[in-house]
Amino acid sequence: MPDDAELTTTSTNAISLKRTFFRTLAMLIFFMVIAINFKQLLQYYSAFSLANAMTRIEAEYLLTEGLLLDLTYFALMVLILHACWALVITLSCRPWFAITANDNVKTQIWLVLLLLHCIWVLSANAYFYPTSLLGFFRGTPLATGITLVTLGLLLLANLIYALMGTLANYNRGLRTLFVISLLIFSFVPLYVFTRNTTTPIFSNNSDQPNIVVIGIDALRPDHLAYRGADPSLAPTLNQLLAESLIYDRTYTPLGRTFVAWMGILSGLYPTNNGARFNLAPPELVSKPFPLLERLAANGYQTTYAIDERRFNQIDKSYGFDRVIGPKVGAADAIIANVADLPLVNLAINLPLLGDLFPYLYINRAYGKTYHPLLFNHEVIHSLSVDKPNFLAVHFCQLHWPFTSKDFIELDKSRWDGNYNHYMYGEMIRKVDMQIADFIAQLRRGGLLDNAVVYLLSDHGEGFMLSQDRLAATDTETQTADAAQPMALNVAAWGHGTNVLSQEQSQVLLASLRYRNGKPVNPAGKVDGLFSLVDVAPSIVANLSATNGKAIVSENLKFDGQPLPQDLTEPLTPSDNQRHIFVESSLPVASINTSFIDDKKVMSETASHYEIRKDGRAVMKPESYHNNIRLKQRSVYAQQWQLVMLPKDERLILVDTANKRWHTLSDYSGDAPWEAMLDSLCQHYQADFIDTPRSQCSLSFKQRLLSADADGAEHAKGQNVSPPR
């Protein structure tokens, strides 16, 4: 039985350790506050300035239950994480406190251990995530593998020594249990480094193929080898496309991710599926997708995966069995802007701990810690091992702001003075490596033994490149003065902002048919005019061919049509007369600039949105309907595009083959503009009920026909030789 002196010493040590814990936690919180303020000095705009911009959203939305819960949960997890760190530091002090009763010496020991722990965490953050704003030690001897391992082992040995000393007075069984637990814990780092290379074996015994739709955000076809680009920019994609059927002239229904994917999965244009903008009110969108219901009825597991969810909120309510990606909610933007803290960064990609930060884990929008191969791992491991899989996966590394957890080196031979375009090219290389790993895992797991794969992009990207600009006709050159209010803007930054910017609307679309891990389809470019809404009917057609019977359902009604599966299939007259529709999104002036300021964009657009009880941001229904009248609308036929602009009586006719534009009233040629105008007016007729367009009136068309006839007669008269 311990004597009174021993009890007094034990009591004193307990109080001392308790005080040390709270003092450590207070110091870590103090360091965290300093770090947040330091980041504000480095950032062009801070998280708080973004929050200020959000004040244009009514206060009632900022105080919604879902948003407050998400922010509170994040703050609590950060606090718990730092409390655990404080506990580790405190326990590490225990054996050294036991050998001295001098408070000054104890304080010095505590400060040394606190400093060593902070150095290790900061060094690890700089080593693994060099683009972190708090990566102070990047490029120094402290941010090297040798330093991290040496200091880490030293601190770990000290912690083990402290824990063993704590357990010295307990029985042998408890000490043995502790040692076993410690050995298991030691295998965690090994799991971290090996989990991305382990692929499950899929044993689909069904005759039905796995169906994989691979989307790459903002990928421009003209940056790929089949369009003449440098093949070294994307070697994996170029190799895949060399083995593919490429549908060369393909357009997105609208250059925004959510709307494009709604078209891909529904087979319908935005006018028919209800998705006219990103963050559409869910009650205005048609869901679930009938395609998924039919696939499920045929034994498929359906999975949707995306590594950036701020503007694409497709989830299980749309009919998917599994959804992989960061959590959806308005808190994403706020949390991602304040989360750059060393301990949080180190925890995000660790097993189990990543689940504690659902807004940050595998979130490409938080690029400082985004690990592409970890996202691939999560997607592959979500698939069924004994059923045919339908997987729709979207990779967002190529989306603005073109950043990653590693620094991008400047290649002066490629620098063209356009920063965004240069970074875009470098991010193509990174997403190409991610695709290479993803395809390798599909093949390794046997998912390509019997599979149909679609490669596509949801939209392109505008960089105001000289080769992207449309040229005016001779008659229009005189009036296309940018200083005049009626000047035509034929180029723009970003995507979904201008239907005249062909690079925003033209997308990649290709298909492959795999047997035993190798493509068995013919390869080459397919003539014709195509849209992303053709993917869903193509999936149904392929599935029907596999089953030997047509899949019929009253819900399976598509605007698109099945894609050709053979290069030798001749174009039918209807193919030559096909019309493809493309519309714009909400016009945002602050996006049309070489440097996009998040604060200005949010300030300009925030008033259109609300935050609902579940914490998700959506466009207000009244804004949703009002903004439809501000859309640009267009129709493609053959090599021509006919464009209808809001608040502009002119119709613009674009010759996409020669990159020239005409005002339709001044055009005289053989473009099928009459059929295109009829089709455009009919397709968007519901939009024009409240805001009629004079261009769709019979008198407008007759006036154009009359002017065209007069022009032709005038030209004929000029060709008649005068009498001698």
Side-chain angles (χ1 to χ4, degrees):
M1 182 173 179
D3 55 22
D4 293 342
E6 192 174 351
L7 285 173
T8 303
T9 303
T10 303
S11 177
T12 302
N13 285 340
I15 294 173
S16 177
L17 289 175
K18 184 186 297 184
R19 184 163 54 245
T20 299
F21 169 76
F22 286 109
R23 185 166 56 173
T24 303
L25 181 58
M27 188 64 74
L28 293 179
I29 293 174
F30 176 66
F31 288 159
M32 185 166 54
V33 172
I34 292 177
I36 292 173
N37 282 276
F38 176 77
K39 287 192 301 175
Q40 290 187 56
L41 297 176
L42 297 181
Q43 290 176 306
Y44 178 80
Y45 46 81
S46 69
F48 298 105
S49 70
L50 293 180
N52 290 335
M54 290 181 66
T55 56
R56 292 193 63 181
I57 299 179
E58 286 84 348
E60 61 181 289
Y61 299 135
L62 292 174
L63 299 176
T64 55
E65 178 182 348
L67 178 61
L68 290 177
L69 283 176
D70 286 339
L71 295 177
T72 302
Y73 173 82
F74 171 74
L76 183 61
M77 288 301 103
V78 172
L79 181 62
I80 290 175
L81 195 62
H82 283 78
C84 291
W85 187 17
L87 180 61
V88 168
I89 296 173
T90 302
L91 290 174
S92 299
C93 293
R94 188 182 188 283
W96 307 107
F97 283 8
I99 62 177
T100 180
N102 189 307
D103 287 342
N104 290 332
V105 174
K106 289 182 178 181
T107 299
Q108 292 173 26
I109 292 171
W110 168 69
L111 286 173
V112 169
L113 287 173
L114 176 64
L115 179 62
L116 289 175
H117 273 266
C118 288
I119 289 175
W120 188 87
V121 168
L122 288 170
S123 298
N125 183 58
Y127 180 79
F128 291 108
Y129 308 112
T131 57
S132 167
L133 292 176
L134 300 178
F136 305 114
F137 298 147
R138 69 175 73 90
T140 70
L142 288 174
T144 61
I146 294 176
T147 301
L148 287 177
V149 171
T150 302
L151 182 56
L153 288 176
L154 179 64
L155 295 174
L156 180 61
N158 182 71
L159 176 63
I160 293 173
Y161 174 66
L163 292 174
M164 293 299 288
T166 303
L167 295 174
N169 296 326
Y170 292 91
N171 61 50
R172 180 179 299 178
L174 188 59
R175 291 201 302 270
T176 302
L177 180 62
F178 170 75
V179 172
I180 294 174
S181 301
L182 189 62
L183 288 173
I184 294 174
F185 177 77
S186 299
F187 282 105
V188 169
L190 180 63
Y191 173 64
V192 172
F193 290 109
T194 60
R195 65 177 174 178
N196 291 322
T197 60
T198 57
T199 303
I201 301 301
F202 298 89
S203 55
N204 174 21
N205 297 320
S206 169
D207 291 333
Q208 299 182 118
N210 294 304
I211 302 170
V212 183
V213 183
I214 300 176
I216 304 172
D217 202 287
L219 180 61
R220 288 176 51 153
D222 62 348
H223 283 53
L224 298 167
Y226 82 92
R227 286 281 189 92
D230 179 1
S232 67
L233 195 62
T236 299
L237 284 170
N238 289 329
Q239 179 59 41
L240 286 171
L241 292 172
E243 302 170 341
S244 304
L245 277 172
I246 302 173
Y247 307 99
D248 193 24
R249 295 184 59 220
T250 301
Y251 295 89
T252 181
L254 192 154
R256 293 293 167 89
T257 302
F258 170 71
V259 183
W261 270 101
M262 285 294 297
I264 293 166
L265 296 169
S266 70
L268 301 173
Y269 283 111
T271 50
N272 293 325
N273 63 34
R276 307 299 295 274
F277 300 99
N278 279 348
L279 301 179
E283 66 273 14
L284 300 181
V285 176
S286 299
K287 61 177 184 177
F289 296 120
L291 170 65
L292 300 183
E293 295 176 339
R294 299 313 307 157
L295 287 169
N298 280 268
Y300 277 81
Q301 175 183 295
T302 58
T303 305
Y304 187 71
I306 184 170
D307 52 3
E308 207 272 294
R309 303 298 303 276
R310 292 186 184 183
F311 302 106
N312 189 342
Q313 300 189 352
I314 292 176
D315 56 19
K316 287 186 177 181
S317 67
Y318 288 75
F320 286 100
D321 298 318
R322 300 288 304 277
V323 174
I324 306 301
K327 185 177 179 179
V328 180
D332 188 338
I334 299 173
I335 290 174
N337 276 284
V338 300
D340 186 12
L341 299 167
L343 197 62
V344 174
N345 290 344
L346 294 175
I348 288 171
N349 290 329
L350 291 176
L352 304 178
L353 293 184
D355 295 334
L356 300 178
F357 297 95
Y359 279 109
L360 301 176
Y361 184 57
I362 56 174
N363 187 353
R364 188 267 172 274
Y366 187 55
K368 294 178 179 63
T369 63
Y370 173 71
H371 198 314
L373 302 190
L374 183 56
F375 175 70
N376 289 357
H377 169 88
E378 293 291 340
V379 174
I380 295 295
H381 282 256
S382 71
L383 302 178
S384 172
V385 296
D386 55 6
K387 296 168 62 177
N389 284 282
F390 172 78
L391 169 64
V393 56
H394 193 60
F395 299 96
C396 296
Q397 273 199 98
L398 200 51
H399 193 281
W400 185 88
F402 316 125
T403 57
S404 73
K405 67 183 183 68
D406 301 308
F407 283 104
I408 304 296
E409 297 294 332
L410 176 62
D411 181 356
K412 293 183 179 179
S413 65
R414 290 189 52 251
W415 177 254
D416 59 359
N418 188 322
Y419 172 80
N420 281 335
H421 185 236
Y422 177 83
M423 293 298 291
Y424 176 84
E426 291 303 308
M427 294 310 297
I428 288 179
R429 299 181 191 275
K430 290 188 175 294
V431 78
D432 186 74
M433 290 188 287
Q434 185 177 15
I435 295 295
D437 174 80
F438 186 72
I439 294 295
Q441 290 202 52
L442 291 177
R443 185 176 280 111
R444 228 173 11 243
L447 285 163
L448 296 185
D449 289 346
N450 180 18
V452 177
V453 175
Y454 296 91
L455 280 171
L456 56 86
S457 54
D458 55 346
H459 53 76
E461 193 76 16
F463 296 103
M464 300 291 283
L465 304 177
S466 57
Q467 64 265 31
D468 294 340
R469 291 185 175 274
L470 298 174
T473 60
D474 293 338
T475 56
E476 293 294 340
T477 302
Q478 320 257 327
T479 60
D481 181 0
Q484 296 183 12
M486 293 303 289
L488 189 65
N489 182 19
V490 296
W493 293 93
H495 48 268
T497 61
N498 190 340
V499 296
L500 286 164
S501 298
Q502 305 300 309
E503 66 279 3
Q504 293 190 15
S505 301
Q506 200 164 87
V507 295
L508 168 69
L509 180 58
S511 67
L512 298 103
R513 184 69 171 89
Y514 281 94
R515 286 283 186 182
N516 300 317
K518 296 181 179 180
V520 295
N521 53 273
K525 294 182 185 179
V526 182
D527 292 330
L529 199 59
F530 307 100
S531 171
L532 291 180
V533 300
D534 295 337
V535 174
S538 300
I539 291 171
V540 171
N542 283 327
L543 200 59
S544 298
T546 302
N547 292 338
K549 61 181 181 179
I551 296 178
V552 180
S553 170
E554 61 180 11
N555 293 329
L556 289 175
K557 297 177 181 178
F558 301 120
D559 291 330
Q561 58 190 38
L563 296 164
Q565 297 301 305
D566 197 325
L567 288 168
T568 61
E569 292 182 22
L571 290 176
T572 65
S574 61
D575 290 329
N576 281 319
Q577 297 171 9
R578 188 182 186 192
H579 292 167
I580 297 293
F581 302 96
V582 176
E583 61 187 74
S584 73
S585 185
L586 177 67
V588 181
S590 51
I591 286 180
N592 197 26
T593 176
S594 58
F595 180 80
I596 301 176
D597 187 329
D598 278 5
K599 181 180 177 182
K600 289 183 179 178
V601 173
M602 190 172 290
S603 180
E604 184 176 347
T605 60
S607 60
H608 296 296
Y609 298 91
E610 62 185 14
I611 300 174
R612 297 193 171 176
K613 289 183 179 180
D614 59 1
R616 295 191 179 190
V618 301
M619 187 176 284
K620 297 176 183 177
E622 59 269 25
S623 294
Y624 195 75
H625 292 295
N626 292 336
N627 288 330
I628 288 177
R629 61 186 175 83
L630 301 176
K631 280 180 172 289
Q632 301 171 359
R633 301 169 176 85
S634 71
V635 59
Y636 286 88
Q638 301 173 26
Q639 71 186 57
W640 302 96
Q641 179 194 26
L642 185 64
V643 178
M644 184 181 291
L645 302 171
K647 302 178 182 179
D648 193 335
E649 290 299 315
R650 294 178 298 174
L651 289 173
I652 307 301
L653 185 67
V654 179
D655 181 350
T656 62
N658 297 303
K659 291 190 174 181
R660 300 186 70 85
W661 66 271
H662 314 255
T663 300
L664 185 58
S665 58
D666 295 329
Y667 173 76
S668 58
D670 58 358
W673 65 265
E674 297 175 59
M676 294 173 72
L677 180 57
D678 289 341
S679 182
L680 187 66
C681 292
Q682 182 177 359
H683 184 79
Y684 292 105
Q685 60 181 340
D687 292 356
F688 302 147
I689 292 175
D690 296 325
T691 55
R693 295 303 301 260
S694 61
Q695 297 95 326
C696 292
S697 65
L698 181 60
S699 60
F700 182 86
K701 184 176 178 181
Q702 289 175 339
R703 190 163 65 250
L704 286 178
L705 289 170
S706 176
D708 194 24
D710 291 343
E713 188 65 29
H714 178 67
K716 181 179 178 181
Q718 286 183 327
N719 291 331
V720 176
S721 300
R724 296 182 181 179

